[in-house]
């Protein structure tokens, strides 16, 4: 393959994207903090979500790339101060990001502060703001319930039962006046002052200009994508398209990106010049609905011919595939999907539905069965139970039985 490409086939683009996301990295046995750091360098961020029907969303992308690892690694990486590697912020949506990204998120904090009067669900209350900051200063890391003095709660916003204290804390978090120290066993956010959460060197780092911040984020997004459109790059760190386009123009000038066309894509695309261009990918992984490989649904469909929607908020009777459906990556294609639930009370991994994609290879059921068995072991579950829903279920159940 020549060093300079003007066009890519869909399989070539797919393999470049998978390599950029870490699916070609050699496994470490057992995975270590070095493995975690390498993986986060590929993904850039780990989206955080409260749904725990299988496992928390931020744990899954690491498992999909690293294999069975000790979740305590991620807890350690996102705890403490001096040795902290990851911190939560609005880096995609709410996500764990490397602490080094804190300075290049300043434009987002400034934008949120400028919108202070437009936070319709956060009444301006200087007294409450000052009291909460003083209280955190005295108490240290605290949940909103710890700080709540019984103020009225509202259910007006998407069903969340948030108090005025919680809404104010989330505003202060968005503008950087408080930071997230971690979460408790109920997954409640622990808020604290930034100087007790982030390493001193991070807080002391110079703040780049907004244009430099945009450039840094697009540079990272381009490395995580391998090949992408401006829309893909803007979505990765939830930037405006014009901000991403200006950064792409700079990266083209510096030679870090080169323009390419991709089979079946109707938008210009850009290849990261340092991206790996593998001839084959031999991956096998179940992907969280919040995995960065499948965040951008149009990109997923164009790369993998895989139409994917999260149906968590869809009424049960209208769901097509199920509540918590994970795409199944086999080699360099998304070949199936499975609706999974960890039944921790009975020690079983429930496959509520399993579905093959058109043209799925003959070994799909056997490989998915092996991956389900491996995942069950990682989750501490003793048994995989295949329910009869879905066109792949009749093959998947005997495939699992054959594994013993």
């Amino acid at each position: 393959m020549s060093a300079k490409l003007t066009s890519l086939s869909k399989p070539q683009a797919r393999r470049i994207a998978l390599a950029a996301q870490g699916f070609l990295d050699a496994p470490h046995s057992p995975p270590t903090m070095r493995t975690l750091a390498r993986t986060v360098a590929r993904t850039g961020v780990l989206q955080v979500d409260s749904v725990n029907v299988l496992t928390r969303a931020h744990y899954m992308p690491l498992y999909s790339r690293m294999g069975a690892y000790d979740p305590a690694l991620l807890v350690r990486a996102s705890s403490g101060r001096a040795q902290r590697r990851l911190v939560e912020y609005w880096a995609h949506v709410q996500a764990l990001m490397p602490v080094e990204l804190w300075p290049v998120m300043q434009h987002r904090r400034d934008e949120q502060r400028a919108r202070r009067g437009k936070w319709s669900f956060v009444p301006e209350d200087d007294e409450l703001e000052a009291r909460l900051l003083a209280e955190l200063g005295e108490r240290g890391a605290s949940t909103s319930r710890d700080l709540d003095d019984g103020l009225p709660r509202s259910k007006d916003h998407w069903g969340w039962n948030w108090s005025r204290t919680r809404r104010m804390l989330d505003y202060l978090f968005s503008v950087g006046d408080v930071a997230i120290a971690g979460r408790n066993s109920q997954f409640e956010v622990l808020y604290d002052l930034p100087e007790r959460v982030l390493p001193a060197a991070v807080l002391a780092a110079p703040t780049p200009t907004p244009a430099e911040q945009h450039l840094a984020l697009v540079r990272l997004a381009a490395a995580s994508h391998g090949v992408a459109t401006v829309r893909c790059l803007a979505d990765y760190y939830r930037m405006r398209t014009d901000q991403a386009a200006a950064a792409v123009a700079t990266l083209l000038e510096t030679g870090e990106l080169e323009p390419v066309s991709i089979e079946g894509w109707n938008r210009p695309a850009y290849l990261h010049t340092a991206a790996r261009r593998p001839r084959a990918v031999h991956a096998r992984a179940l992907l969280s609905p919040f995995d960065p490989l499948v965040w951008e649904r149009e990109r997923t469909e164009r790369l993998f011919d895989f139409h994917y929607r999260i149906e968590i908020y869809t009424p049960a009777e209208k769901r097509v595939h199920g509540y918590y459906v994970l795409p199944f990556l086999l080699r360099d294609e998304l070949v199936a999907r499975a609706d999974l639930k960890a039944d921790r009370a009975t020690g079983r991994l429930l496959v509520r539905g399993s579905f093959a994609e058109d043209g799925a290879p003959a070994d799909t059921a056997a490989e998915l069965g092996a991956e389900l068995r491996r995942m069950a072991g990682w989750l501490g579950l003793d048994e995989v139970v295949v329910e009869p829903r879905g066109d792949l279920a009749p093959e998947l159940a005997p495939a699992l039985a054959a594994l013993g």
Side-chain angles (χ1 to χ4, degrees), residues 303-342:
L303 275 178
F304 295 97
D305 295 317
F306 190 86
H307 181 80
Y308 185 48
R309 298 293 184 271
I310 296 176
E311 299 182 88
I312 291 172
Y313 305 109
T314 302
E317 67 277 7
K318 294 184 178 180
R319 291 178 193 140
V320 176
H321 295 107
Y323 179 78
Y324 202 76
V325 177
L326 284 74
F328 179 50
L329 173 67
L330 184 60
R331 293 180 283 275
D332 68 348
E333 297 184 275
L334 295 176
V335 300
R337 61 190 88 198
D339 182 18
L340 301 182
K341 175 181 174 61

Short mmCIF file of all heavy atoms in Angstrom, two decimals, residues 303-342:
data_model
loop_
_atom_site.label_atom_id
_atom_site.label_comp_id
_atom_site.label_asym_id
_atom_site.label_seq_id
_atom_site.Cartn_x
_atom_site.Cartn_y
_atom_site.Cartn_z
N LEU A 303 -19.31 2.75 8.00
CA LEU A 303 -18.14 1.89 8.11
C LEU A 303 -18.50 0.41 8.12
O LEU A 303 -17.81 -0.42 7.52
CB LEU A 303 -17.36 2.22 9.39
CG LEU A 303 -16.36 3.35 9.36
CD1 LEU A 303 -15.74 3.53 10.74
CD2 LEU A 303 -15.26 3.11 8.33
N PHE A 304 -19.57 0.07 8.86
CA PHE A 304 -19.86 -1.34 9.15
C PHE A 304 -21.17 -1.85 8.55
O PHE A 304 -21.52 -3.02 8.77
CB PHE A 304 -19.91 -1.55 10.67
CG PHE A 304 -18.60 -1.33 11.37
CD1 PHE A 304 -18.32 -0.11 11.98
CD2 PHE A 304 -17.64 -2.33 11.42
CE1 PHE A 304 -17.11 0.10 12.63
CE2 PHE A 304 -16.44 -2.14 12.07
CZ PHE A 304 -16.17 -0.92 12.67
N ASP A 305 -21.90 -0.98 7.82
CA ASP A 305 -23.24 -1.36 7.34
C ASP A 305 -24.09 -1.88 8.50
O ASP A 305 -24.82 -2.87 8.36
CB ASP A 305 -23.14 -2.43 6.24
CG ASP A 305 -22.44 -1.91 5.00
OD1 ASP A 305 -22.73 -0.77 4.60
OD2 ASP A 305 -21.59 -2.64 4.44
N PHE A 306 -24.01 -1.20 9.63
CA PHE A 306 -24.65 -1.66 10.86
C PHE A 306 -25.54 -0.54 11.38
O PHE A 306 -25.05 0.50 11.83
CB PHE A 306 -23.57 -2.01 11.89
CG PHE A 306 -24.06 -2.71 13.13
CD1 PHE A 306 -24.20 -4.09 13.15
CD2 PHE A 306 -24.34 -1.99 14.28
CE1 PHE A 306 -24.63 -4.75 14.30
CE2 PHE A 306 -24.77 -2.63 15.44
CZ PHE A 306 -24.91 -4.02 15.44
N HIS A 307 -26.85 -0.72 11.29
CA HIS A 307 -27.80 0.28 11.78
C HIS A 307 -28.02 0.03 13.26
O HIS A 307 -28.46 -1.04 13.67
CB HIS A 307 -29.13 0.16 11.03
CG HIS A 307 -30.15 1.16 11.47
ND1 HIS A 307 -30.15 2.47 11.03
CD2 HIS A 307 -31.20 1.05 12.32
CE1 HIS A 307 -31.15 3.12 11.59
NE2 HIS A 307 -31.82 2.28 12.38
N TYR A 308 -27.70 1.05 14.09
CA TYR A 308 -27.69 0.83 15.53
C TYR A 308 -28.35 1.99 16.25
O TYR A 308 -28.04 3.15 15.99
CB TYR A 308 -26.25 0.67 16.02
CG TYR A 308 -26.11 0.32 17.48
CD1 TYR A 308 -26.86 -0.70 18.06
CD2 TYR A 308 -25.21 1.01 18.29
CE1 TYR A 308 -26.73 -1.01 19.40
CE2 TYR A 308 -25.06 0.69 19.63
CZ TYR A 308 -25.83 -0.31 20.18
OH TYR A 308 -25.69 -0.63 21.50
N ARG A 309 -29.27 1.67 17.14
CA ARG A 309 -29.92 2.66 17.99
C ARG A 309 -30.03 2.09 19.40
O ARG A 309 -30.32 0.90 19.57
CB ARG A 309 -31.33 3.01 17.47
CG ARG A 309 -31.35 3.64 16.09
CD ARG A 309 -30.70 5.01 16.08
NE ARG A 309 -30.80 5.65 14.78
CZ ARG A 309 -29.90 5.52 13.80
NH1 ARG A 309 -28.84 4.75 13.99
NH2 ARG A 309 -30.06 6.16 12.66
N ILE A 310 -29.82 2.92 20.40
CA ILE A 310 -30.03 2.51 21.79
C ILE A 310 -31.52 2.57 22.09
O ILE A 310 -32.16 3.59 21.83
CB ILE A 310 -29.24 3.41 22.75
CG1 ILE A 310 -27.74 3.26 22.51
CG2 ILE A 310 -29.57 3.07 24.20
CD1 ILE A 310 -26.88 4.17 23.35
N GLU A 311 -32.06 1.48 22.62
CA GLU A 311 -33.50 1.39 22.85
C GLU A 311 -33.87 1.43 24.34
O GLU A 311 -34.99 1.08 24.71
CB GLU A 311 -34.04 0.11 22.21
CG GLU A 311 -33.84 0.06 20.69
CD GLU A 311 -34.43 -1.19 20.07
OE1 GLU A 311 -35.61 -1.17 19.71
OE2 GLU A 311 -33.68 -2.19 19.98
N ILE A 312 -32.94 1.89 25.18
CA ILE A 312 -33.20 1.95 26.61
C ILE A 312 -34.45 2.78 26.91
O ILE A 312 -35.26 2.43 27.77
CB ILE A 312 -31.98 2.54 27.34
CG1 ILE A 312 -30.80 1.56 27.30
CG2 ILE A 312 -32.31 2.90 28.78
CD1 ILE A 312 -29.51 2.14 27.84
N TYR A 313 -34.60 3.90 26.20
CA TYR A 313 -35.70 4.81 26.47
C TYR A 313 -36.90 4.56 25.57
O TYR A 313 -37.85 5.34 25.57
CB TYR A 313 -35.21 6.26 26.34
CG TYR A 313 -34.02 6.54 27.22
CD1 TYR A 313 -32.75 6.73 26.69
CD2 TYR A 313 -34.15 6.55 28.61
CE1 TYR A 313 -31.65 6.96 27.50
CE2 TYR A 313 -33.06 6.78 29.44
CZ TYR A 313 -31.82 6.99 28.87
OH TYR A 313 -30.74 7.20 29.69
N THR A 314 -36.86 3.48 24.79
CA THR A 314 -37.99 3.09 23.94
C THR A 314 -38.93 2.19 24.75
O THR A 314 -38.46 1.28 25.44
CB THR A 314 -37.48 2.33 22.70
OG1 THR A 314 -36.56 3.15 21.99
CG2 THR A 314 -38.63 1.92 21.80
N PRO A 315 -40.24 2.42 24.70
CA PRO A 315 -41.16 1.52 25.41
C PRO A 315 -40.91 0.07 25.00
O PRO A 315 -40.62 -0.22 23.84
CB PRO A 315 -42.54 2.00 24.96
CG PRO A 315 -42.33 3.44 24.57
CD PRO A 315 -40.94 3.51 24.00
N ALA A 316 -41.03 -0.83 25.97
CA ALA A 316 -40.66 -2.24 25.75
C ALA A 316 -41.34 -2.82 24.52
O ALA A 316 -40.71 -3.56 23.74
CB ALA A 316 -41.00 -3.05 26.99
N GLU A 317 -42.61 -2.49 24.32
CA GLU A 317 -43.35 -3.09 23.21
C GLU A 317 -42.91 -2.58 21.85
O GLU A 317 -43.22 -3.17 20.82
CB GLU A 317 -44.85 -2.86 23.39
CG GLU A 317 -45.32 -1.43 23.27
CD GLU A 317 -45.17 -0.61 24.56
OE1 GLU A 317 -44.57 -1.14 25.54
OE2 GLU A 317 -45.64 0.55 24.58
N LYS A 318 -42.13 -1.48 21.84
CA LYS A 318 -41.67 -0.92 20.57
C LYS A 318 -40.20 -1.22 20.28
O LYS A 318 -39.69 -0.83 19.23
CB LYS A 318 -41.89 0.59 20.57
CG LYS A 318 -43.36 0.99 20.61
CD LYS A 318 -43.53 2.50 20.52
CE LYS A 318 -44.99 2.90 20.52
NZ LYS A 318 -45.17 4.36 20.41
N ARG A 319 -39.53 -1.91 21.19
CA ARG A 319 -38.11 -2.22 20.96
C ARG A 319 -37.97 -3.27 19.87
O ARG A 319 -38.71 -4.25 19.82
CB ARG A 319 -37.46 -2.71 22.25
CG ARG A 319 -37.32 -1.63 23.31
CD ARG A 319 -36.71 -2.17 24.58
NE ARG A 319 -36.88 -1.18 25.66
CZ ARG A 319 -37.20 -1.46 26.90
NH1 ARG A 319 -37.36 -2.74 27.28
NH2 ARG A 319 -37.35 -0.51 27.79
N VAL A 320 -36.96 -3.07 19.04
CA VAL A 320 -36.69 -4.02 17.95
C VAL A 320 -35.78 -5.14 18.45
O VAL A 320 -36.04 -6.32 18.22
CB VAL A 320 -36.04 -3.30 16.75
CG1 VAL A 320 -35.67 -4.31 15.66
CG2 VAL A 320 -37.00 -2.24 16.21
N HIS A 321 -34.71 -4.78 19.15
CA HIS A 321 -33.73 -5.78 19.59
C HIS A 321 -33.65 -5.97 21.09
O HIS A 321 -33.24 -7.04 21.55
CB HIS A 321 -32.34 -5.41 19.05
CG HIS A 321 -32.24 -5.45 17.56
ND1 HIS A 321 -32.17 -4.32 16.78
CD2 HIS A 321 -32.23 -6.50 16.69
CE1 HIS A 321 -32.12 -4.66 15.50
NE2 HIS A 321 -32.15 -5.96 15.42
N GLY A 322 -34.01 -4.96 21.89
CA GLY A 322 -33.98 -5.15 23.33
C GLY A 322 -33.52 -3.92 24.08
O GLY A 322 -33.27 -2.85 23.50
N TYR A 323 -33.41 -4.07 25.39
CA TYR A 323 -33.13 -2.94 26.28
C TYR A 323 -31.66 -2.54 26.25
O TYR A 323 -31.33 -1.36 26.07
CB TYR A 323 -33.53 -3.34 27.71
CG TYR A 323 -33.27 -2.27 28.75
CD1 TYR A 323 -34.12 -1.18 28.87
CD2 TYR A 323 -32.17 -2.36 29.60
CE1 TYR A 323 -33.89 -0.19 29.81
CE2 TYR A 323 -31.93 -1.37 30.55
CZ TYR A 323 -32.79 -0.29 30.65
OH TYR A 323 -32.55 0.67 31.58
N TYR A 324 -30.74 -3.48 26.43
CA TYR A 324 -29.32 -3.15 26.51
C TYR A 324 -28.57 -4.04 25.52
O TYR A 324 -28.08 -5.11 25.86
CB TYR A 324 -28.79 -3.36 27.94
CG TYR A 324 -27.54 -2.58 28.24
CD1 TYR A 324 -27.58 -1.21 28.47
CD2 TYR A 324 -26.29 -3.21 28.29
CE1 TYR A 324 -26.43 -0.48 28.74
CE2 TYR A 324 -25.14 -2.48 28.56
CZ TYR A 324 -25.22 -1.13 28.79
OH TYR A 324 -24.08 -0.40 29.06
N VAL A 325 -28.50 -3.55 24.30
CA VAL A 325 -28.03 -4.36 23.17
C VAL A 325 -26.60 -3.99 22.82
O VAL A 325 -26.29 -2.81 22.59
CB VAL A 325 -28.95 -4.17 21.96
CG1 VAL A 325 -28.43 -4.95 20.76
CG2 VAL A 325 -30.37 -4.62 22.31
N LEU A 326 -25.73 -5.00 22.79
CA LEU A 326 -24.32 -4.79 22.49
C LEU A 326 -23.99 -5.32 21.10
O LEU A 326 -24.27 -6.48 20.78
CB LEU A 326 -23.44 -5.52 23.51
CG LEU A 326 -23.31 -4.88 24.90
CD1 LEU A 326 -24.58 -5.06 25.71
CD2 LEU A 326 -22.11 -5.46 25.64
N PRO A 327 -23.40 -4.49 20.24
CA PRO A 327 -22.89 -4.99 18.96
C PRO A 327 -21.75 -5.99 19.20
O PRO A 327 -20.99 -5.86 20.16
CB PRO A 327 -22.37 -3.74 18.26
CG PRO A 327 -23.05 -2.60 18.94
CD PRO A 327 -23.23 -3.03 20.36
N PHE A 328 -21.66 -6.97 18.30
CA PHE A 328 -20.59 -7.98 18.40
C PHE A 328 -19.64 -7.80 17.24
O PHE A 328 -20.00 -7.92 16.07
CB PHE A 328 -21.19 -9.39 18.38
CG PHE A 328 -20.16 -10.49 18.46
CD1 PHE A 328 -19.17 -10.47 19.42
CD2 PHE A 328 -20.17 -11.55 17.55
CE1 PHE A 328 -18.21 -11.47 19.51
CE2 PHE A 328 -19.23 -12.56 17.62
CZ PHE A 328 -18.24 -12.52 18.60
N LEU A 329 -18.39 -7.46 17.58
CA LEU A 329 -17.33 -7.27 16.60
C LEU A 329 -16.58 -8.58 16.42
O LEU A 329 -16.05 -9.14 17.39
CB LEU A 329 -16.37 -6.18 17.09
CG LEU A 329 -15.10 -5.95 16.28
CD1 LEU A 329 -15.42 -5.38 14.90
CD2 LEU A 329 -14.15 -5.01 17.04
N LEU A 330 -16.53 -9.06 15.20
CA LEU A 330 -15.77 -10.27 14.88
C LEU A 330 -14.85 -9.97 13.70
O LEU A 330 -15.32 -9.59 12.62
CB LEU A 330 -16.71 -11.43 14.54
CG LEU A 330 -16.04 -12.78 14.27
CD1 LEU A 330 -15.24 -13.24 15.48
CD2 LEU A 330 -17.07 -13.83 13.88
N ARG A 331 -13.55 -10.12 13.97
CA ARG A 331 -12.53 -9.71 13.01
C ARG A 331 -12.71 -8.22 12.69
O ARG A 331 -12.52 -7.42 13.59
CB ARG A 331 -12.57 -10.63 11.78
CG ARG A 331 -12.13 -12.07 12.15
CD ARG A 331 -12.16 -13.01 10.98
NE ARG A 331 -13.49 -13.46 10.62
CZ ARG A 331 -14.11 -14.49 11.19
NH1 ARG A 331 -13.54 -15.18 12.15
NH2 ARG A 331 -15.33 -14.84 10.80
N ASP A 332 -13.10 -7.84 11.50
CA ASP A 332 -13.23 -6.40 11.23
C ASP A 332 -14.67 -6.01 10.87
O ASP A 332 -14.89 -4.99 10.22
CB ASP A 332 -12.27 -5.96 10.12
CG ASP A 332 -12.61 -6.53 8.75
OD1 ASP A 332 -13.46 -7.45 8.68
OD2 ASP A 332 -12.04 -6.07 7.75
N GLU A 333 -15.64 -6.78 11.33
CA GLU A 333 -17.04 -6.48 11.02
C GLU A 333 -17.92 -6.60 12.26
O GLU A 333 -17.62 -7.37 13.17
CB GLU A 333 -17.57 -7.42 9.95
CG GLU A 333 -16.85 -7.31 8.60
CD GLU A 333 -17.48 -8.22 7.56
OE1 GLU A 333 -17.12 -9.41 7.53
OE2 GLU A 333 -18.34 -7.73 6.80
N LEU A 334 -18.99 -5.84 12.27
CA LEU A 334 -20.04 -6.01 13.28
C LEU A 334 -21.03 -7.02 12.72
O LEU A 334 -21.77 -6.71 11.79
CB LEU A 334 -20.71 -4.67 13.59
CG LEU A 334 -19.81 -3.60 14.22
CD1 LEU A 334 -20.57 -2.29 14.39
CD2 LEU A 334 -19.25 -4.07 15.55
N VAL A 335 -21.04 -8.21 13.30
CA VAL A 335 -21.74 -9.33 12.66
C VAL A 335 -23.01 -9.74 13.40
O VAL A 335 -23.81 -10.52 12.87
CB VAL A 335 -20.81 -10.56 12.57
CG1 VAL A 335 -19.57 -10.23 11.73
CG2 VAL A 335 -20.40 -11.08 13.94
N ALA A 336 -23.21 -9.23 14.62
CA ALA A 336 -24.37 -9.65 15.40
C ALA A 336 -24.58 -8.64 16.52
O ALA A 336 -23.79 -7.70 16.71
CB ALA A 336 -24.18 -11.05 15.98
N ARG A 337 -25.65 -8.85 17.27
CA ARG A 337 -25.92 -8.04 18.46
C ARG A 337 -26.65 -8.90 19.48
O ARG A 337 -27.35 -9.84 19.12
CB ARG A 337 -26.72 -6.78 18.10
CG ARG A 337 -28.06 -7.02 17.49
CD ARG A 337 -28.66 -5.72 16.95
NE ARG A 337 -28.26 -5.46 15.58
CZ ARG A 337 -28.33 -4.27 14.98
NH1 ARG A 337 -28.76 -3.22 15.64
NH2 ARG A 337 -27.96 -4.12 13.72
N ALA A 338 -26.44 -8.56 20.76
CA ALA A 338 -27.03 -9.36 21.84
C ALA A 338 -27.56 -8.43 22.92
O ALA A 338 -26.88 -7.49 23.33
CB ALA A 338 -26.00 -10.33 22.43
N ASP A 339 -28.77 -8.72 23.38
CA ASP A 339 -29.39 -7.99 24.48
C ASP A 339 -29.02 -8.72 25.77
O ASP A 339 -29.45 -9.86 26.00
CB ASP A 339 -30.91 -7.98 24.28
CG ASP A 339 -31.65 -7.22 25.36
OD1 ASP A 339 -31.01 -6.42 26.06
OD2 ASP A 339 -32.87 -7.42 25.50
N LEU A 340 -28.21 -8.08 26.62
CA LEU A 340 -27.61 -8.77 27.76
C LEU A 340 -28.05 -8.18 29.10
O LEU A 340 -28.32 -6.98 29.20
CB LEU A 340 -26.08 -8.71 27.67
CG LEU A 340 -25.44 -9.32 26.43
CD1 LEU A 340 -23.92 -9.22 26.53
CD2 LEU A 340 -25.87 -10.76 26.23
N LYS A 341 -28.09 -9.03 30.09
CA LYS A 341 -28.39 -8.61 31.47
C LYS A 341 -27.58 -9.48 32.42
O LYS A 341 -27.57 -10.71 32.29
CB LYS A 341 -29.87 -8.77 31.77
CG LYS A 341 -30.25 -8.47 33.24
CD LYS A 341 -31.73 -8.66 33.48
CE LYS A 341 -32.10 -8.52 34.96
NZ LYS A 341 -31.77 -7.17 35.48
N ALA A 342 -26.89 -8.86 33.36
CA ALA A 342 -26.20 -9.59 34.42
C ALA A 342 -27.17 -9.81 35.57
O ALA A 342 -27.53 -8.86 36.26
CB ALA A 342 -24.97 -8.81 34.88
#
